[in-house]
Amino acid sequence: MEGRFVKYMLYGFGEVLLVAIGILLAFSVDNWNENRKDRDQEVEYLLSLKDEFSFNLSALNSAISLNEMHENESFALIQLAGPNSDELSEQEFLSIFRAVILAEMKYRPRDGVISEILNSGKLEIFDQKIRTKISSWEGELARVRFQEDIEHARYREQLLDLYSEQGNLREFTNSLSSFDLQSSKFENVLGRNLLQSVKFENLLVGFYNTSVFLNRGYYSPLKDSIEESLSMIDERLAVLQ
C-alpha cells in the first residue's frame, strides 16, 4: 500500500509538473510573439520617423538659409539708414527691402508619424531616449513658433505697415516680376525716404535682432536636436535589424 501511494504521488507530481511546464512554455511563446510584434512595429515606426525627421531637417536648413538672407539684407539697409541717406535709387531700395520683408519666416515641419505614435499609445515600445525625443518634439516647436510668430513677425508687419503709409505700394508691386500696374503718378512718394526715418531704422534693427536670435537661439538648437534624433534612430535600427 505504501509503495502504491508513493507511486501515485510521484505520478501526480509529474502530471502537475508537466502541466506547469506547458503553461510556462505557452506563456513564454506568447510573450516572445508579443515582443516580436512590438519590435517589428518599432522598426516600422523608426523607419517612418527617420523619413519624417530627414524631411524636417531639410526644411529647417531651408528656413535657416532664408533667415540668413533676412539678416544680411536688413543689416545692409541699417548701414544705409540716416538723415542724409540718398545713396540709393528707388529700385535699389526696393530690391533690398523686398528681400527683407517679402517672405515670412514659417518653419512648418511634418509631424504625422509623431502624432500617430502619441495618439495610438505606442510610445512605450521605444527605448527611453527615443521616447523622450518624441514626447518633447511639440515643446521644441512651440519655442520656435513663439520666436517666429510673436517676436520676429511683429517687426516684419510693422515694416510693411510703415511702408504702406509712407512708401508707394504701386511701385513696390511693380517691382515684382509677375505684376504690372504701370508707374505711379505720385513720383514724390519714395520708399527710400524711409531710410531717413528713425522709426524705420528702429524697426529694421528689431527685425535684424530677432532674425539673429531666431537662427542662433532657436533654429540651431532645433537642428542639433533633429540630428541627434536621427543618430539615435540609426543606432536603434542597427540593433533591431
Side-chain angles (χ1 to χ4, degrees), residues 12-29:
F13 178 75
E15 289 270 323
V16 172
L17 184 62
L18 286 174
V19 171
I21 291 173
I23 292 173
L24 289 173
L25 285 173
F27 185 72
S28 297
V29 169

Side-chain angles (χ1 to χ4, degrees), residues 174-185:
N174 283 337
S175 71
L176 306 175
S177 59
S178 56
F179 294 91
D180 184 11
L181 298 179
Q182 301 182 352
S183 296
S184 174
K185 298 178 178 63

Side-chain angles (χ1 to χ4, degrees), residues 144-160:
V144 170
R145 286 168 182 162
F146 178 85
Q147 181 67 10
E148 287 178 339
D149 299 340
I150 306 300
E151 295 294 321
H152 186 61
R154 67 190 179 102
Y155 286 107
R156 176 178 176 271
E157 291 168 2
Q158 290 181 75
L159 283 168
L160 281 169

Side-chain angles (χ1 to χ4, degrees), residues 34 36 120 130 143 198 209:
E34 288 300 316
R36 181 180 57 80
S120 65
I130 294 178
R143 290 184 66 254
V198 174
N209 287 340

Side-chain angles (χ1 to χ4, degrees), residues 56-228:
N56 292 344
L57 180 60
S58 177
L60 182 57
N61 285 330
S62 297
I64 290 172
S65 296
L66 175 60
N67 196 43
E68 286 175 347
M69 186 266 288
H70 284 173
E71 288 181 33
N72 295 334
E73 299 298 335
S74 58
F75 183 83
L77 276 183
I78 291 170
Q79 305 313 304
L80 294 167
N84 301 314
S85 179
D86 57 0
E87 301 175 18
L88 295 180
S89 67
E90 183 69 5
Q91 291 305 311
E92 288 171 333
F93 168 80
L94 286 175
S95 67
I96 303 175
F97 183 66
R98 187 172 62 239
V100 171
I101 52 85
L102 195 58
E104 60 181 346
M105 290 308 308
K106 292 285 186 181
Y107 172 60
R108 293 297 179 260
R110 293 175 181 171
D111 63 353
V113 179
I114 288 179
S115 295
E116 181 182 335
I117 291 170
L118 294 175
N119 294 333
S120 65
K122 294 296 184 179
L123 188 62
E124 294 303 315
I125 70 174
F126 301 95
D127 65 21
Q128 182 60 49
K129 293 190 297 183
I130 294 178
R131 283 205 304 270
T132 300
K133 281 295 184 182
I134 293 173
S135 59
S136 64
W137 174 247
E138 187 57 38
E140 292 182 280
L141 289 184
R143 290 184 66 254
V144 170
R145 286 168 182 162
F146 178 85
Q147 181 67 10
E148 287 178 339
D149 299 340
I150 306 300
E151 295 294 321
H152 186 61
R154 67 190 179 102
Y155 286 107
R156 176 178 176 271
E157 291 168 2
Q158 290 181 75
L159 283 168
L160 281 169
D161 289 342
L162 186 60
Y163 185 85
S164 297
E165 294 172 5
Q166 300 184 24
N168 191 315
L169 281 178
R170 187 170 180 177
E171 290 302 322
F172 181 86
T173 303
N174 283 337
S175 71
L176 306 175
S177 59
S178 56
F179 294 91
D180 184 11
L181 298 179
Q182 301 182 352
S183 296
S184 174
K185 298 178 178 63
F186 298 97
E187 295 181 1
N188 59 328
V189 182
L190 299 176
R192 63 187 174 87
N193 290 341
L194 289 170
L195 289 173
Q196 300 177 9
S197 164
V198 174
K199 183 177 181 179
F200 184 73
E201 181 183 67
N202 288 340
L203 292 177
L204 276 176
V205 172
F207 183 89
Y208 172 78
N209 287 340
T210 52
S211 291
V212 172
F213 293 152
L214 183 56
N215 263 357
R216 298 179 185 175
Y218 296 85
Y219 284 163
S220 291
L222 183 61
K223 181 177 179 178
D224 292 340
S225 179
I226 294 175
E227 290 175 341
E228 185 180 25

